[in-house]
């Protein structure tokens, strides 16, 4: 069989075929641009709050507040945990190990409620802290009474000394040596008692210098409460207040002293620096601090907020019921009992050289704690999560024993448990709370990783910015979650890494000679189905 060669293709036919092929090929709408990476679109889910997390002695009161105010039950729970820790302070601690006496934790805690503006978190926090504020009010009245008594006693003492000095003069004039010696001894024995100390429980707005003075009179610690934590966090960035941040970092430990020597501010010292901290923060404000934490500006401040909660909003139901007075009164009574509790009588022991008595776990609770700690540490070691998040979770080494101690003290104060070491029930409840807070920490840190970038990405897709645009263009919009300059900068960096934007070619300097702000171009692909 003969092979037949195909007829040669003419030059025109080849051109026509190439043109036809090119016409049928899809045109790249954005040559030189990468396919943009997908941005996370919503908050990481957290499990619903179980009211069995409430300490049994406080469960009726906290459930009552959450129901009547139609707020997430997480809010009053976290507020009460921080408040209980502040009342106990460093009056006692817990040694999580049986034989190693070097590890000691005290139950002062830091908590933050993350919620949108106008979510009614302020009245909830006010209701939760009302018992502590009442204790503060009563203590202030007692101090005023004692101060008046002290002033009157000082006047009496002054009059007595003046009377004795007159007798001394007469005795000296007469040369009565025996009476002189007797009057001298009488004058020496006149001594004024120590001045009264103002018992403090809660501080709202204070400089570090004043706070050190308050702690000097209240060495077991106080609660610093700021309805909006943003104000406190921003104050640490002011010129001349750089040391304030370090003071709070030391206060979280609860067991050490603090000293500062600065020109213009003098020498400051407090022998016992123990601070509890509670407040709320809006997601858009939180984003900026998280971005700094996740991008290298990390001194461990964010991680110290172990009681970090960001629950889903509760569907509103209109409720108009009277408070459960019996439950609320019982909760207030327990707070007072905890304030007056003698740790030694509750089962703590004071070792030689210790500044305060400490508890241990009982045998069953120790097994629960060891199992938890072993699993917890191994999970952290094997995790590939963000280093800042892992550092946050690693601080649960304090959270777990601190919570277990508080739950045990509540049980002892309420009569639900006898004095003695920390019980298994308290340890198991602390385990449940650590699991709860870990879910919320992961939600918060995931939001810090993608939240601001996602919000800015949506605005770019909606073409609400010029192309190219600058950081200042974004800031002028005042969009929620993108009001902080550092948060915007981090969002821009994340979007560059995700291929959504890139730096535009630099323009010549302005007429003033100042360099122009960095401009960014949007990837055309984000306006198509690829994004």
């Amino acid at each position: 069989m003969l092979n037949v060669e195909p007829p040669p293709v003419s030059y025109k036919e080849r051109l026509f075929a190439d043109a036809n092929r090119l016409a049928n090929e899809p045109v790249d709408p954005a040559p030189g641009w990468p396919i943009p990476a997908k941005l996370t679109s919503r908050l990481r889910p957290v499990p619903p709050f179980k009211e069995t997390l409430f300490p049994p002695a406080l469960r009726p009161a906290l459930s009552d507040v959450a129901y009547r105010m139609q707020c997430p039950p997480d809010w009053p729970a976290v507020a009460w945990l921080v408040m209980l820790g502040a009342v106990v302070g460093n009056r006692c601690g817990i040694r999580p190990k049986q034989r190693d006496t070097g590890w000691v934790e005290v139950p002062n805690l830091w908590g933050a409620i993350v919620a949108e503006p106008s979510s009614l978190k302020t009245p909830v926090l006010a209701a939760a802290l009302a018992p502590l504020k009442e204790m503060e009010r009563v203590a202030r009245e007692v101090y005023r009474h004692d101060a008046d008594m002290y002033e009157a006693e000082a006047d009496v003492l002054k009059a007595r000394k003046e009377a004795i000095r007159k007798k001394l003069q007469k005795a000296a004039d007469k040369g009565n040596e025996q009476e002189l010696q007797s009057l001298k001894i009488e004058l020496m024995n006149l001594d004024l008692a120590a001045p009264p100390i103002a018992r403090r429980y809660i501080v709202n707005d204070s400089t570090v210098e004043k706070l050190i003075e308050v702690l000097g009179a209240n060495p077991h610690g106080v609660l610093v409460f700021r309805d909006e934590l943003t104000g406190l966090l921003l104050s640490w960035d002011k010129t001349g207040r750089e040391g304030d941040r370090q003071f709070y970092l030391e206060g979280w430990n609860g067991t050490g002293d603090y000293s500062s020597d600065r020109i213009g501010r003098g020498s400051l010292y407090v022998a016992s620096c123990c601070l509890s901290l509670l407040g709320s923060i809006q997601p858009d404000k939180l984003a900026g601090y998280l971005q700094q934490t996740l991008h290298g500006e990390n001194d461990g401040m964010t991680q110290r907020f172990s009681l970090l909660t960001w629950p889903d909003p509760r569907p509103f139901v209109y409720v108009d019921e009277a408070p459960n007075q019996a439950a609320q009164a019982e909760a207030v009574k327990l707070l007072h009992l905890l304030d007056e509790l003698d740790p030694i009588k509750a089962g703590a022991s004071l070792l030689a050289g210790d500044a305060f008595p400490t508890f241990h776990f009982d045998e069953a609770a120790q097994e629960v704690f060891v199992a938890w700690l072993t699993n917890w540490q191994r999970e952290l070691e094997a995790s590939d999560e963000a280093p800042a998040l892992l550092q946050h979770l690693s601080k649960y080494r304090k959270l777990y024993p601190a919570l277990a101690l508080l739950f045990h003290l509540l049980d002892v104060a309420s009569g639900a448990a006898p004095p003695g070491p920390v019980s298994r029930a308290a340890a198991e409840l602390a385990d449940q709370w650590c699991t709860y807070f870990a879910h919320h920490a992961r939600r918060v840190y995931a939001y810090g990783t993608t939240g601001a970038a996602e919000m800015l990405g949506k605005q770019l897709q909606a073409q609400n910015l010029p192309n190219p645009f600058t950081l200042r263009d974004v800031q002028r919009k005042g969009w929620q979650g993108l009001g902080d300059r550092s948060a915007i900068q981090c969002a821009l960096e994340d979007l560059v890494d995700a291929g959504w934007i890139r730096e535009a070619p630099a323009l010549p300097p302005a007429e003033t000679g100042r360099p122009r702000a960095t401009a960014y171009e949007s990837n055309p692909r984000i306006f198509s189905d690829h994004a």
Side-chain angles (χ1 to χ4, degrees):
M1 186 173 182
L2 296 176
N3 292 326
V4 180
E5 294 288 339
V9 179
S10 68
Y11 176 70
K12 288 185 177 181
E13 289 174 327
R14 286 201 302 270
L15 286 178
F16 179 78
D18 289 343
N20 189 52
R21 176 176 54 80
L22 291 173
N24 291 327
E25 286 185 354
V27 178
D28 187 350
W33 283 92
I35 301 298
K38 186 173 179 60
L39 302 177
T40 303
S41 59
R42 53 181 165 179
L43 288 176
R44 184 181 179 127
V46 293
F49 185 88
K50 297 180 180 179
E51 293 200 354
T52 52
L53 284 172
F54 287 142
L58 296 174
R59 192 170 298 160
L62 297 181
S63 298
D64 173 57
V65 170
Y67 174 68
R68 284 187 296 104
M69 305 193 78
Q70 282 299 290
C71 68
D74 322 52
W75 293 0
V78 167
W80 262 84
L81 288 178
V82 176
M83 184 166 60
L84 293 171
V87 168
V88 176
N90 61 15
R91 284 190 294 130
C92 63
I94 180 171
R95 283 189 160 91
K97 294 183 177 180
Q98 293 293 328
R99 289 175 289 276
D100 185 353
T101 59
W103 182 11
V104 181
E105 301 290 356
V106 294
N108 65 308
L109 299 168
W110 287 17
I113 292 171
V114 183
E116 298 286 353
S118 303
S119 56
L120 303 180
K121 56 186 180 296
T122 297
V124 174
L125 287 172
L129 294 175
L132 192 67
K133 291 182 178 179
E134 176 62 16
M135 289 170 64
E136 175 89 4
R137 186 195 66 78
V138 171
R140 191 178 297 114
E141 291 296 323
V142 170
Y143 172 74
R144 288 173 181 168
H145 175 267
D146 292 346
D148 290 342
M149 290 294 295
Y150 179 81
E151 185 178 351
E153 289 175 2
D155 290 340
V156 170
L157 183 65
K158 180 180 179 181
R160 285 178 176 173
K161 286 183 175 181
E162 289 175 353
I164 292 175
R165 289 190 179 99
K166 289 180 180 178
K167 292 180 181 179
L168 279 169
Q169 186 62 50
K170 291 179 180 179
D173 292 341
K174 295 179 180 179
N176 190 338
E177 191 64 29
Q178 183 177 358
E179 186 176 1
L180 279 172
Q181 292 299 320
S182 175
L183 290 170
K184 183 180 74 171
I185 293 173
E186 185 178 352
L187 185 61
M188 290 172 59
N189 289 335
L190 285 179
D191 193 16
L192 188 63
I197 295 176
R199 177 72 168 96
R200 298 296 303 274
Y201 295 93
I202 186 169
V203 176
N204 293 108
D205 186 12
S206 172
T207 63
V208 164
E209 293 85 351
K210 184 62 180 179
L211 198 49
I212 287 176
E213 180 183 324
V214 171
L215 288 174
N218 298 269
H220 299 310
V222 294
L223 168 62
V224 177
F225 171 66
R226 297 294 291 266
D227 184 30
E228 291 289 345
L229 284 170
T230 307
L232 179 63
L233 298 174
L234 289 176
S235 71
W236 295 336
D237 296 329
K238 292 181 179 178
T239 303
R241 310 305 305 184
E242 295 84 358
D244 294 5
R245 192 178 186 93
Q246 185 61 37
F247 170 75
Y248 274 85
L249 289 171
E250 293 291 338
W252 177 83
N253 295 324
T255 57
D257 60 355
Y258 175 82
S259 62
S260 175
D261 300 288
R262 293 180 179 275
I263 296 175
R265 294 174 64 179
S267 297
L268 303 173
Y269 177 76
V270 58
S272 180
C273 189
C274 181
L275 292 175
S276 301
L277 184 56
L278 175 66
S280 64
I281 190 167
Q282 299 170 16
D284 61 331
K285 305 296 183 183
L286 176 64
Y289 294 102
L290 286 173
Q291 290 288 344
Q292 295 176 34
T293 299
L294 291 162
H295 287 77
E297 298 181 33
N298 180 17
D299 59 2
M301 181 63 75
T302 306
Q303 287 88 342
R304 280 165 167 76
F305 285 92
S306 298
L307 276 66
L308 189 59
T309 181
W310 190 354
D312 295 322
R314 183 173 185 169
F316 178 77
V317 176
Y318 180 75
V319 173
D320 183 11
E321 294 187 12
N324 184 337
Q325 298 291 359
Q328 298 302 324
E330 182 63 22
V332 172
K333 176 184 175 182
L334 281 173
L335 193 64
H336 282 275
L337 288 174
L338 209 57
D339 184 41
E340 299 164 0
L341 189 71
D342 181 348
I344 299 294
K345 293 181 179 179
S349 57
L350 184 63
L351 302 183
D354 280 357
F356 48 81
T358 54
F359 289 81
H360 281 96
F361 290 112
D362 67 20
E363 185 176 349
Q366 189 70 46
E367 292 180 0
V368 172
F369 172 70
V370 170
W372 173 85
L373 182 62
T374 302
N375 292 333
W376 193 261
Q377 289 297 129
R378 288 175 178 173
E379 288 178 6
L380 294 183
E381 291 169 1
S383 176
D384 59 355
E385 295 174 297
L389 172 60
L390 297 180
Q391 293 161 17
H392 182 104
L393 298 175
S394 70
K395 293 193 181 298
Y396 287 16
R397 284 171 57 90
K398 168 175 177 168
L399 178 61
Y400 185 112
L403 287 176
L405 175 58
L406 286 178
F407 298 148
H408 175 68
L409 293 176
L410 271 176
D411 287 342
V412 172
S414 65
V422 175
S423 68
R424 180 187 183 112
E428 289 176 339
L429 186 55
D431 187 336
Q432 295 172 40
W433 270 105
C434 286
T435 301
Y436 163 87
F437 283 121
H439 283 296
H440 286 254
R442 288 187 167 96
R443 162 177 278 194
V444 168
Y445 281 82
Y447 173 79
T449 303
T450 60
E454 178 202 349
M455 288 184 282
L456 181 53
K458 289 180 178 178
Q459 298 296 343
L460 289 172
Q461 287 182 311
Q463 301 186 40
N464 290 330
L465 285 168
N467 193 12
F469 68 95
T470 65
L471 184 151
R472 182 61 178 159
D473 291 328
V474 180
Q475 197 169 28
R476 286 196 188 101
K477 296 291 185 178
W479 289 318
Q480 184 174 339
L482 294 167
D484 182 83
R485 187 177 181 86
S486 62
I488 298 172
Q489 183 60 52
C490 292
L492 291 171
E493 293 172 3
D494 288 342
L495 288 176
V496 169
D497 292 341
W500 281 57
I501 60 175
R502 69 185 177 192
E503 289 190 18
L507 296 175
E511 293 181 1
T512 59
R514 297 176 59 185
R516 296 182 185 272
T518 301
Y520 297 89
E521 297 175 330
S522 299
N523 185 342
R525 299 184 194 278
I526 69 173
F527 307 111
S528 67
D529 294 336
H530 293 291

